[in-house]
């Protein structure tokens, strides 16, 4: 299977912006194992701004563009340093791709991106993709990595996109506020009722929330890719998700694409 896995800032870092070593070490181990089993994996990783915030000792995620971009420049290095180090332990090579919305909209650059990803996969390299936050100002940014991951999954014709977040999946109500909230295991149609379940952005350091996850699900399922939202704090869940076990919330691709 060709699988895109998106890791959110809330999984990669603590609220302090420091690396969540337990999560990241386990994730790298499980992803390496899935690659060893023959799956093609593409990683879309957030965390540049979050980790840069921690490394620079800033009191909170920056709000102004130059500081955000400076934090991303610092954090992206830190992120790739850890991925390179941890995946190397399992004999896997990583390759970094930084991209913007306008790169993806430009036919030639989009094709170059596609070619690079294909070649990296042929070379058994694990592509690690993030938005190029140092240049991606609002006008040219994809804006959040849920959407970026969905675009990557579509462009790379992946079978499955897994969004790892700090929540188990889509609930009937906000589980932080409503004790009766129930996890929705399967979504076959992203109806008005489903869209109404999305709130705003999730954590302090990341940008995504259920809203961006649902628009990612629309994009994927329309173009023939299944999508699962699951909790990134238990990276071993990835084994079950890949085996098709009912974990998190699965958005099923449109029947016409099966
Ligand atoms: N590209 C941003 C970063 O690496 C994350 C965007 C997101 O969290 O969706 O910090």
């Amino acid at each position: 299977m060709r699988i895109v896995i998106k890791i959110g800032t809330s999984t990669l870092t603590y609220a302090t912006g420091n690396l969540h070593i337990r999560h990241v070490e386990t994730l790298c181990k499980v992803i390496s194992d899935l690659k060893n089993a023959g799956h093609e994996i593409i990683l879309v990783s957030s965390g540049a701004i979050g980790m840069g915030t921690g490394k620079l000792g800033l009191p909170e995620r920056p709000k102004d563009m130059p500081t955000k971009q400076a934090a991303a420049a610092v954090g992206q290095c830190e992120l790739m340093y850890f991925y390179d180090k941890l995946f190397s332990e399992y004999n896997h090579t990583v390759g970094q791709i930084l991209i913007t919305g306008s790169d993806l909209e430009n036919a030639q650059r989009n094709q170059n991106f596609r070619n690079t990803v294909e070649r990296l996969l042929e070379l058994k390299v694990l592509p690690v993709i993030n938005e190029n936050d140092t240049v991606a100002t609002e006008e040219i940014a994809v804006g959040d990595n849920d959407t970026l991951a969905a675009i990557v999954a579509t462009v790379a014709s992946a079978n499955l996109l897994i969004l790892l977040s700090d929540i188990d999946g889509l609930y009937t109500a906000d589980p932080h506020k409503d004790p009766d909230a129930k996890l929705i295991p399967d979504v076959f149609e992203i109806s008005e009722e489903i869209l109404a379940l999305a709130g705003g952005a999730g954590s302090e350091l990341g940008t995504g929330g259920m809203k961006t996850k649902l628009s990612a699900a629309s994009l994927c399922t329309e173009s023939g890719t299944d999508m699962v939202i699951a909790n990134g704090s238990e990276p071993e869940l990835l084994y079950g998700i890949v085996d098709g076990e009912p974990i998190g919330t699965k958005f099923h691709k449109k029947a016409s694409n099966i």
Side-chain angles (χ1 to χ4, degrees):
M1 275 222 286
R2 182 172 286 188
I3 307 158
V4 177
I5 301 173
K6 183 255 172 176
I7 311 181
T9 303
S10 58
T11 301
L12 288 168
T13 66
Y14 288 100
T16 54
N18 294 328
L19 187 74
H20 199 306
I21 296 175
R22 187 166 54 87
H23 286 173
V24 177
E25 283 200 334
T26 320
L27 265 167
C28 293
K29 185 173 166 181
V30 174
I31 291 171
S32 296
D33 207 16
L34 289 171
K35 272 179 68 66
N36 287 354
H39 298 292
E40 288 181 325
I41 314 269
I42 301 169
L43 205 57
V44 173
S45 177
S46 300
I49 299 174
M51 286 192 63
T53 302
K55 189 151 193 190
L56 291 170
L58 304 174
E60 55 174 12
R61 185 185 165 96
K63 298 199 170 51
D64 67 290
M65 196 52 86
T67 319
K68 254 192 216 173
Q69 295 184 321
V74 171
Q76 184 66 30
C77 287
E78 181 85 338
L79 205 54
M80 288 311 295
Y81 165 74
F82 279 112
Y83 283 135
D84 195 27
K85 179 173 130 82
L86 295 171
F87 281 111
S88 293
E89 283 179 16
Y90 300 102
N91 260 331
H92 287 290
T93 303
V94 295
Q96 172 187 259
I97 301 181
L98 297 177
I99 198 156
T100 63
S102 66
D103 293 328
L104 292 162
E105 278 160 23
N106 176 290
Q108 184 59 55
R109 277 184 273 163
N110 189 307
Q111 187 59 52
N112 293 342
F113 167 67
R114 199 183 293 241
N115 294 344
T116 307
V117 170
E118 288 297 336
R119 193 74 189 109
L120 285 170
L121 292 173
E122 280 167 17
L123 292 165
K124 308 283 179 221
V125 172
L126 175 75
V128 182
I129 304 175
N130 195 0
E131 180 132 29
N132 192 352
D133 293 311
T134 54
V135 297
T137 48
E138 247 157 61
E139 319 80 72
I140 60 161
V142 176
D144 68 87
N145 276 0
D146 295 328
T147 310
L148 178 63
I151 296 172
V152 168
T154 307
V155 167
S157 307
N159 308 95
L160 177 64
L161 166 64
I162 304 171
L163 299 182
L164 293 178
S165 184
D166 56 355
I167 188 153
D168 291 341
L170 180 67
Y171 280 83
T172 52
D174 183 346
H176 301 298
K177 294 183 190 142
D178 184 348
D180 293 329
K182 298 227 166 15
L183 183 75
I184 302 174
D186 291 288
V187 175
F188 292 93
E189 207 203 323
I190 303 164
S191 59
E192 290 298 320
E193 287 86 343
I194 292 287
L195 288 171
L197 298 174
S203 71
E204 163 76 6
L205 288 171
T207 51
M210 207 38 88
K211 214 169 177 176
T212 55
K213 289 179 179 48
L214 290 184
S215 58
S218 288
L219 209 67
C220 277
T221 53
E222 291 285 340
S223 52
T225 304
D226 288 324
M227 190 187 102
V228 171
I229 301 175
N231 202 319
S233 65
E234 291 169 72
E236 277 95 352
L237 290 180
L238 283 173
Y239 289 117
I241 296 171
V242 170
D243 285 345
E245 287 170 20
I247 293 167
T249 300
K250 180 166 183 176
F251 296 82
H252 295 259
K253 63 187 172 193
K254 284 275 163 68
S256 57
N257 284 307
I258 291 173

